Amino acid sequence: MDNIKDYVNKNQERFLNELIELLKLPSISADSAYKNDMLKTANAVKASLENAGCDNVEICQTDGYPIVYGEKIIDAKLPTILVYGHYDVQPADPLELWTSPPFEPIIKKTELHPDGAIFARGACDDKGQMYMHVKALEFMTSTNQLPCNVKFMIEGEEEVGSVNLSTFVKNNREKLKNDVILISDTGMIAKDVPSITTGLRGLSYVEVEVTGPNRDLHSGLYGGAVANPINVLTKMIASLHDENNHITIPGFYDKVEELSKEERNEMAKAPFSLDSYKKSLDIDDVYGEKGYTTNERNSIRPTLDVNGIWGGYIGEGAKTVIASKAFAKISMRLVPHQDWEEITQLFKTHFESIAPEGVKVKVKPHHGGQGYVTPIDSIGYQAASKAYEESFGKKPIPQRSGGSIPIVALFEQELKSKTILMGFGLDSDAIHSPNEHYGIWNYFKGIETIPLFYKYFTELSK
Amino acid sequence: MDNIKDYVNKNQERFLNELIELLKLPSISADSAYKNDMLKTANAVKASLENAGCDNVEICQTDGYPIVYGEKIIDAKLPTILVYGHYDVQPADPLELWTSPPFEPIIKKTELHPDGAIFARGACDDKGQMYMHVKALEFMTSTNQLPCNVKFMIEGEEEVGSVNLSTFVKNNREKLKNDVILISDTGMIAKDVPSITTGLRGLSYVEVEVTGPNRDLHSGLYGGAVANPINVLTKMIASLHDENNHITIPGFYDKVEELSKEERNEMAKAPFSLDSYKKSLDIDDVYGEKGYTTNERNSIRPTLDVNGIWGGYIGEGAKTVIASKAFAKISMRLVPHQDWEEITQLFKTHFESIAPEGVKVKVKPHHGGQGYVTPIDSIGYQAASKAYEESFGKKPIPQRSGGSIPIVALFEQELKSKTILMGFGLDSDAIHSPNEHYGIWNYFKGIETIPLFYKYFTELSK
């Protein structure tokens, strides 16, 4: 691709400002209070695709938030890339921990980002990474260098499980037909260590409710005589891990793929400093499943984490009460071959079975998705590898991510094509956390690298 | 006491309306947002004491909320009764469970209260029971039947530990000098089973904070690799009870008084139906320390209950986050001889010692108080017994309460006098819970019985 660097340099300011405008919209899919902002965001994405040269851009209605679709078909004989991304973001709370308002993007320099980083919810996950593809397309169309066909599918429910997207995909196999799916919704090891994500974990997300007495009770008059739903919930949750931090749900590990010594040695080669890891999180030690390293624990091993817990009096001061109910949101990260619906059922059956007398327990499945692994000998992976090599000056490392993009496994199943995960974020970007940010350098580097993938994928497909 | 019944009948409506006005004030001491309402309530109590015939009524400032003091000294040679009560109330949440607003009192009939009950936060605990004493005094002064001296001390911090009251008592021993302390802030077994509370449990209330990583983290990227403060907190709390529901804190039971077989048999005689107990709470079984009955578990045994827990994402929908912090409010009910400050220290030492690597744990003591037992052969108990016998037509049963009035032990220590707990509430009054109420019958019965205590206490003191 000629002069892509020049093009980016010339348009840097506009590229930043356009993204900043998009980041000002609080498109939180988990909270229905933001419905209007979600629709505004979908329209903004539609406009940006049209400006980038997409044809037939449309807002596709679903039972939930709409999906923005657009395409540029230049020759039916040429390969087609399907770009997937999402315009919804995680909730921003706890707000008090943000150093600047989550939906008032500002650029600040950081140790890792001397050129500056955009601080805003969604800056990296996924508006910033999704918008790189829009700008890459703009470059290719405006300089007549688009080497193949492209389709865009940008959804608004990734952070809540992509339930309606899966229906949309099943109903639009022809429209979405493609030779490879390209996604930037993951990270890379470091700015000087480019990597391609070859694995994703699956997810099962549930909410549990423990009900004891039919009303809140005085802890003096009833304390010690009736089951306290909060005490019971803590016992039940605590029992889900044994002393080695193995998960105790019967059958949970049955289908877990055990990696070979060789594969684990290969993984161990990825640069990683436990000290700087601990330092960056301000923890005196790591914690996890016995027998596995930190990088294995958060990539090739399944996990169970409480994402939220609440019950009783949580206001200022003291209240001597025994709550009638206690709640928790619990998510399990799954590895390839674990079926999320089966795991959800195993959890439900087990959790209900360990409820002591005196309480009633409800388990409400929230959402989930399958894990995914992609081979490194595919044309897609090779094209991505050459693209990184050209723009970063070094070969990228294949890497398993601990995160989940539930829809990826479904893409392969329904559309029969592989997904290439070209992520440009860093673990330190604090996605899903206060002060999420995305390095300007990473943003521009992504815009530079993406067209090279188009070029090599088209060449290798010949 | 002549014609007390007639006096109550004649003034029923006014007695109800005056209490209802007092209940309209949201005097929540735990939440500083209600500071002004607290002060308004103190002034309302002051006015009511003046109207009832008290002299030298004053609002005594403290480092917290003021104490209302008043007295009626008719003859230095006669005995003096010190009436204690509190004008603060528990927080009203969860508001959505109230069938009528907590600070808009209304009278509704219930199965147990065919004459109706006043529904409002504080109706029973303690505005309703405290106000019985004000109206009883009004009767005695307005009919010239006050047989002895009386002092009133009504505080505004009982629900948050009476910290400033204890200072006030220590600094005003002479002013508060008395022969017996009279309190209505407990319950009785049933409307047809009058009882006098002879024991109270002590209390230690703490708040714990578990801190893991220095920020909220993406549960996919970090899940399973760092200590999740919520998972850790559940493990730590769960470990505080063993499989027999004994509390595992080293030294916790060292000073617990073990009752004799005889005493336990005596207790077991109090009328109690486990079936209706379970039915009233809609639970399929009770739950508690092995080897003890329900009535023993909530009176003569110490307990540990979580009163509130929170951490992570507790909003609508799902957020895949590992929280940086998790919190819980925990209270322990203590029995006589357990020192609350010692127990608080034992808890702190133990809880901090069981923190796993990877987290930091803070334990913040909130407040507490000692337990209390009173003999049944004192003049005060005998006078109360005769008063109940006359107004209820049957001898009252002595009973240990599971509740705590932290200040009672301090009264005995500082003022060298015994406390008589004449409670007229019922366990079903839902104090500290949504829909707290107080039976009109109980309210009037209390006003009728209190002057009889004055009469018999004065006679027996001769």
Side-chain angles (χ1 to χ4, degrees):
Chain A
M1 293 276 166
D2 306 338
N3 53 51
I4 167 77
K5 277 193 161 50
D6 308 348
Y7 189 87
V8 172
N9 290 335
K10 263 200 244 80
N11 296 282
Q12 281 195 352
E13 196 176 342
R14 178 171 59 85
F15 286 0
L16 285 175
N17 293 335
E18 288 176 12
L19 175 56
I20 283 168
E21 286 311 305
L22 195 60
L23 290 169
K24 287 179 182 172
L25 298 166
S27 48
I28 301 170
S29 51
D31 186 342
S32 50
Y34 295 91
K35 193 169 190 300
N36 286 337
D37 300 296
M38 286 294 296
L39 303 179
K40 272 191 211 151
T41 312
N43 284 311
V45 171
K46 176 173 184 281
S48 71
L49 287 174
E50 286 164 341
N51 298 337
C54 266
D55 303 325
N56 315 321
V57 184
E58 53 181 320
I59 300 239
C60 309
Q61 297 307 329
T62 72
D63 290 348
Y65 289 117
I67 293 155
V68 185
Y69 176 85
E71 62 186 24
K72 186 80 184 175
I73 309 299
I74 55 172
D75 181 345
K77 292 186 295 307
L78 288 169
T80 299
I81 297 171
L82 173 63
V83 175
Y84 163 83
H86 61 95
Y87 63 83
D88 62 322
V89 301
Q90 281 275 312
D93 64 285
L95 288 171
E96 65 276 14
L97 297 184
W98 284 77
T99 54
S100 59
F103 298 106
E104 296 172 22
I106 59 163
I107 295 176
K108 287 185 276 190
K109 291 186 179 358
T110 75
E111 200 182 330
L112 276 170
H113 299 293
D115 314 341
I118 307 176
F119 282 74
R121 167 60 79 226
C124 175
D125 176 15
D126 180 49
K127 285 174 177 170
Q129 296 215 72
M130 175 269 287
Y131 206 67
M132 297 183 310
H133 289 268
V134 180
K135 295 297 99 180
L137 176 67
E138 174 196 306
F139 161 73
M140 292 183 281
T141 52
S142 60
T143 60
N144 297 310
Q145 297 187 76
L146 180 64
C148 60
N149 307 310
V150 59
K151 296 173 177 176
F152 273 75
M153 175 171 64
I154 313 300
E155 73 154 318
E157 299 185 316
E158 197 274 341
E159 302 293 4
V160 292
S162 304
V163 179
N164 295 297
L165 179 68
S166 55
T167 317
F168 179 79
V169 170
K170 287 177 186 155
N171 297 341
N172 293 279
R173 292 199 190 81
E174 201 36 52
K175 178 195 194 108
L176 301 173
K177 201 162 176 305
N178 66 79
D179 300 285
V180 71
I181 297 163
L182 185 60
I183 303 178
S184 296
D185 195 17
T186 51
M188 56 184 185
I189 293 172
K191 284 165 79 175
D192 56 351
V193 187
S195 56
I196 298 172
T197 301
T198 54
L200 292 167
R201 289 198 285 190
L203 178 73
S204 168
Y205 200 111
V206 300
E207 189 162 317
V208 301
E209 174 188 304
V210 175
T211 304
N214 54 2
R215 63 177 194 275
D216 287 5
L217 299 174
H218 184 294
S219 70
L221 302 184
Y222 292 90
V226 299
N228 176 328
I230 302 177
N231 288 66
V232 168
L233 179 60
T234 62
K235 262 198 191 304
M236 293 175 72
I237 291 173
S239 76
L240 297 176
H241 289 92
D242 68 15
E243 64 286 2
N244 296 322
N245 277 306
H246 289 294
I247 293 156
T248 57
I249 299 167
F252 186 84
Y253 290 101
D254 287 0
K255 296 184 178 169
V256 170
E257 163 199 55
E258 289 290 342
L259 267 65
S260 68
K261 193 104 212 63
E262 295 62 37
E263 290 172 292
R264 292 176 68 180
N265 291 341
E266 217 19 69
M267 278 188 68
K269 290 190 186 138
F272 175 73
S273 156
L274 192 57
D275 283 345
S276 48
Y277 184 83
K278 289 191 283 187
K279 192 156 159 294
S280 75
L281 300 174
D282 187 23
I283 52 178
D284 58 6
D285 205 352
V286 291
Y287 183 95
E289 188 181 9
K290 202 172 171 191
Y292 296 90
T293 67
T294 292
N295 280 334
E296 290 171 338
R297 286 167 174 170
N298 63 22
S299 64
I300 61 168
R301 298 299 296 171
T303 60
L304 184 152
D305 275 294
V306 181
N307 302 113
I309 190 166
W310 69 103
Y313 182 67
I314 63 180
E316 189 189 339
K319 186 180 179 192
T320 48
V321 68
I322 292 177
S324 171
K325 289 174 183 289
F327 304 84
K329 293 176 193 272
I330 299 174
S331 67
M332 290 158 281
R333 296 284 171 170
L334 311 176
V335 294
H337 311 319
Q338 281 184 300
D339 177 76
W340 79 270
E341 280 165 322
E342 184 185 347
I343 292 292
T344 303
Q345 191 51 53
L346 286 177
F347 178 93
K348 190 176 192 302
T349 307
H350 175 67
F351 202 73
E352 287 167 353
S353 75
I354 59 175
E357 297 219 308
V359 301
K360 302 178 196 71
V361 169
K362 267 196 221 145
V363 175
K364 178 177 136 227
H366 243 300
H367 67 275
Q370 310 295 29
Y372 183 71
V373 251
T374 186
I376 64 172
D377 55 8
S378 68
I379 292 175
Y381 185 88
Q382 295 306 324
S385 183
K386 285 160 121 355
Y388 276 100
E389 202 170 347
E390 184 168 332
S391 67
F392 284 78
K394 54 171 79 165
K395 234 179 169 0
I397 297 172
Q399 166 201 37
R400 291 269 197 108
S401 162
S404 308
I405 309 178
I407 205 67
V408 169
L410 183 118
F411 287 160
E412 175 155 8
Q413 180 192 320
E414 298 296 326
L415 305 177
K416 312 292 177 225
S417 52
K418 290 281 172 199
T419 292
I420 300 303
L421 298 159
M422 291 176 73
F424 295 90
L426 301 177
D427 281 0
S428 54
D429 289 344
I431 64 173
H432 291 214
S433 308
N435 307 310
E436 174 178 356
H437 56 281
Y438 189 40
I440 289 173
W441 183 91
N442 304 64
Y443 179 53
F444 295 139
K445 204 68 178 170
I447 300 173
E448 280 176 37
T449 311
I450 291 162
L452 297 168
F453 173 82
Y454 281 63
K455 172 186 167 198
Y456 292 117
F457 185 75
T458 309
E459 287 177 8
L460 292 169
S461 302
K462 281 185 182 131
Chain B
M1 293 277 165
D2 306 339
N3 55 50
I4 167 77
K5 276 193 162 49
D6 307 349
Y7 189 86
V8 172
N9 288 335
K10 262 200 243 80
N11 296 282
Q12 280 194 353
E13 196 177 343
R14 177 170 59 84
F15 285 0
L16 285 176
N17 292 335
E18 288 177 12
L19 175 55
I20 283 168
E21 285 311 305
L22 195 60
L23 291 169
K24 286 180 182 171
L25 297 166
S27 48
I28 301 170
S29 50
D31 186 342
S32 51
Y34 296 90
K35 191 168 191 300
N36 285 338
D37 300 297
M38 286 295 296
L39 303 180
K40 273 192 210 149
T41 312
N43 284 311
V45 171
K46 176 172 184 280
S48 71
L49 287 175
E50 287 163 341
N51 298 338
C54 265
D55 303 326
N56 315 319
V57 184
E58 53 181 321
I59 300 239
C60 310
Q61 297 307 329
T62 71
D63 290 347
Y65 290 117
I67 293 156
V68 186
Y69 176 85
E71 60 183 26
K72 186 80 185 174
I73 308 299
I74 56 173
D75 181 344
K77 291 186 296 308
L78 287 169
T80 300
I81 297 170
L82 173 63
V83 175
Y84 163 83
H86 62 94
Y87 64 82
D88 63 323
V89 301
Q90 280 276 312
D93 64 284
L95 289 170
E96 65 276 14
L97 296 185
W98 285 77
T99 54
S100 58
F103 298 106
E104 296 174 21
I106 59 163
I107 296 175
K108 287 185 277 191
K109 290 186 177 4
T110 75
E111 199 181 331
L112 277 170
H113 299 292
D115 314 341
I118 307 177
F119 281 74
R121 167 59 81 229
C124 174
D125 178 14
D126 179 52
K127 284 175 177 169
Q129 296 215 74
M130 175 268 287
Y131 205 68
M132 298 183 308
H133 289 268
V134 180
K135 294 298 100 179
L137 176 67
E138 173 197 308
F139 161 73
M140 292 183 280
T141 52
S142 62
T143 61
N144 297 309
Q145 295 187 78
L146 181 64
C148 60
N149 307 310
V150 59
K151 297 173 177 176
F152 273 75
M153 175 171 65
I154 312 299
E155 73 155 319
E157 299 185 317
E158 196 274 340
E159 301 294 3
V160 292
S162 304
V163 178
N164 295 298
L165 179 67
S166 56
T167 316
F168 179 80
V169 170
K170 287 175 185 153
N171 297 339
N172 293 276
R173 292 198 189 82
E174 201 37 51
K175 178 194 195 116
L176 300 174
K177 198 164 179 306
N178 66 79
D179 300 285
V180 71
I181 297 163
L182 184 60
I183 303 178
S184 296
D185 195 17
T186 51
M188 55 183 184
I189 293 173
K191 285 166 80 175
D192 56 351
V193 188
S195 56
I196 298 172
T197 301
T198 54
L200 291 167
R201 288 198 286 190
L203 178 73
S204 168
Y205 199 111
V206 300
E207 189 162 317
V208 301
E209 173 188 306
V210 176
T211 304
N214 54 3
R215 63 177 196 275
D216 287 6
L217 299 173
H218 183 295
S219 69
L221 303 184
Y222 293 90
V226 299
N228 176 329
I230 303 177
N231 289 67
V232 168
L233 179 60
T234 61
K235 263 200 191 305
M236 293 174 72
I237 290 173
S239 77
L240 297 176
H241 289 91
D242 67 14
E243 65 285 0
N244 295 323
N245 277 304
H246 288 294
I247 293 157
T248 57
I249 299 167
F252 186 83
Y253 290 100
D254 288 359
K255 297 183 177 170
V256 171
E257 162 200 55
E258 289 291 341
L259 268 66
S260 67
K261 194 103 211 66
E262 295 62 39
E263 288 172 294
R264 292 176 68 180
N265 291 340
E266 216 23 66
M267 278 188 69
K269 289 189 186 139
F272 176 74
S273 157
L274 192 58
D275 283 345
S276 47
Y277 184 84
K278 289 191 283 187
K279 193 156 159 294
S280 74
L281 300 174
D282 187 23
I283 52 177
D284 58 6
D285 205 352
V286 291
Y287 183 95
E289 188 181 9
K290 201 172 172 192
Y292 295 90
T293 67
T294 291
N295 280 334
E296 290 170 337
R297 286 167 173 170
N298 62 23
S299 63
I300 62 168
R301 298 299 296 170
T303 62
L304 185 151
D305 275 294
V306 181
N307 301 114
I309 191 166
W310 69 104
Y313 183 67
I314 63 180
E316 189 189 339
K319 187 179 179 193
T320 49
V321 68
I322 292 177
S324 171
K325 289 174 181 287
F327 305 83
K329 294 176 193 271
I330 299 174
S331 68
M332 290 160 280
R333 296 284 171 170
L334 311 176
V335 294
H337 310 321
Q338 281 183 301
D339 176 77
W340 79 270
E341 280 165 321
E342 184 185 346
I343 292 292
T344 303
Q345 190 51 53
L346 287 177
F347 178 94
K348 190 176 193 304
T349 307
H350 175 67
F351 202 74
E352 287 168 352
S353 75
I354 60 174
E357 297 219 307
V359 301
K360 303 177 195 69
V361 170
K362 269 197 219 141
V363 175
K364 177 176 136 231
H366 243 299
H367 66 275
Q370 308 297 26
Y372 183 72
V373 248
T374 185
I376 65 172
D377 56 7
S378 68
I379 291 176
Y381 185 89
Q382 295 306 323
S385 182
K386 284 158 112 17
Y388 276 101
E389 200 170 347
E390 184 168 330
S391 67
F392 283 79
K394 55 172 76 166
K395 230 176 174 359
I397 297 172
Q399 75 156 353
R400 292 270 196 104
S401 163
S404 308
I405 309 178
I407 206 67
V408 170
L410 183 118
F411 287 161
E412 175 155 6
Q413 181 193 319
E414 298 295 327
L415 304 177
K416 312 293 177 225
S417 53
K418 290 280 172 201
T419 292
I420 300 302
L421 298 159
M422 291 176 73
F424 295 90
L426 301 177
D427 281 359
S428 55
D429 289 344
I431 64 172
H432 292 213
S433 307
N435 305 310
E436 174 178 356
H437 55 280
Y438 190 40
I440 289 173
W441 184 90
N442 305 62
Y443 178 55
F444 294 138
K445 203 71 177 168
I447 301 173
E448 278 175 39
T449 310
I450 290 163
L452 297 168
F453 173 81
Y454 281 62
K455 172 186 168 198
Y456 291 117
F457 185 75
T458 310
E459 287 177 10
L460 292 169
S461 302
K462 285 190 180 122

